[in-house]
Amino acid sequence: MSGNLFNAISAEFKTTAVEMKGWPKPDRPEIAFAGRSNVGKSSMINALCKRKKLVRVSNTPGRTRTLNFFDVTVEDKSGKRHEVRFCDLPGYGFAKASKADRADWGKMIESYVKGREGLRAMVCIVDAEVGPTPDDVDVIPWLIKAGRPVIVVATKVDRLPKHKRIPRLQEIEKKLEMGKGEAIGFSSTEGLNLDVLWARILGP
């Protein structure tokens, strides 16, 4: 084990799908990652899995247009292993996408969120530097209303001066009508709060 409380010991691509018939069998707890285009979902998944290229990181917003599934085994400090599946959802709010594409993506995501057996939680990613966008403000309450536990993560906090990080998290929580301390500040670059996020993902 490394110095971390949680250490990903294996991570591999499972499959990609655009509709229910392509989803893998729900044989392990599943965590989905959602956020606006180019918010850093791929970098976050790579950091959690301690892989540099498990998920392709693109500078082109809107490149992910499918549901991409990854099987991950993580070991905690006691040596217990946990098997989970990550689902990387298409980014929302991509201005250059056609209305038809947006509609198709919306249907795909809604079908997944409402119908996916074994979906334990949604990790909703907000850019700490930018703050919640109108899309974030719309999507996150919708996910909660759909009955899925939501973990809000403010990523790219390394771009903020350290004395501004906690106030920014508090601003995000207020705008999203969250409780104090619920949002997690995160940085793939610094490896900040990887253990905190893993603990929330795995639950009690």
Side-chain angles (χ1 to χ4, degrees):
M1 283 287 292
S2 67
N4 293 334
L5 298 177
F6 300 95
N7 186 38
I9 57 176
S10 70
E12 60 182 18
F13 172 74
K14 178 71 174 179
T15 191
T16 187
V18 294
E19 53 188 338
M20 188 181 295
K21 66 180 182 181
W23 299 347
K25 182 180 177 182
D27 53 6
R28 58 178 65 192
E30 195 159 290
I31 308 297
F33 291 76
R36 68 175 181 80
S37 297
N38 224 26
V39 76
K41 287 189 287 90
S42 299
S43 295
M44 180 178 291
I45 294 172
N46 285 336
L48 285 166
C49 297
K50 297 193 184 316
R51 300 291 190 275
K52 291 184 178 180
K53 298 181 180 179
L54 178 67
V55 186
R56 181 179 179 183
V57 178
S58 173
N59 290 324
T60 306
R63 183 175 292 277
T64 303
R65 299 194 179 198
T66 58
L67 304 180
N68 294 313
F69 297 87
F70 304 87
D71 284 353
V72 185
T73 301
V74 61
E75 187 175 87
D76 63 28
K77 197 171 184 179
S78 71
K80 181 179 179 180
R81 295 189 175 187
H82 308 261
E83 293 186 345
V84 296
R85 178 169 292 130
F86 287 170
C87 179
D88 184 14
L89 300 178
Y92 53 77
F94 179 37
K96 293 183 180 179
S98 69
K99 288 185 178 181
D101 277 345
R102 284 190 175 194
D104 287 343
W105 297 351
K107 290 176 184 177
M108 179 171 60
I109 293 173
E110 182 173 3
S111 173
Y112 171 79
V113 170
K114 291 185 175 180
R116 181 56 167 164
E117 185 181 346
L119 179 57
R120 172 181 282 179
M122 302 287 303
V123 174
C124 295
I125 308 168
V126 175
D127 189 320
E129 191 176 29
V130 175
T133 66
D135 287 313
D136 295 321
V137 175
D138 287 342
V139 170
I140 292 173
W142 175 80
L143 292 171
I144 294 172
K145 190 176 180 180
R148 300 299 189 181
V150 170
I151 303 168
V152 174
V153 184
T155 194
K156 304 180 183 179
V157 294
D158 54 281
R159 299 184 181 182
L160 297 174
K162 290 188 177 180
H163 70 279
K164 290 186 176 180
R165 295 180 181 183
I166 292 178
R168 178 56 57 86
L169 285 175
Q170 292 172 340
E171 290 173 12
I172 290 170
E173 289 167 343
K174 185 176 181 180
K175 192 165 184 179
L176 294 175
E177 299 182 349
M178 301 172 61
K180 186 177 180 180
E182 288 186 10
I184 299 172
F186 185 90
S187 168
S188 301
T189 303
E190 295 181 354
L192 179 66
N193 284 337
L194 282 167
D195 281 340
V196 174
L197 181 51
W198 264 122
R200 292 279 293 274
I201 285 172
L202 295 175

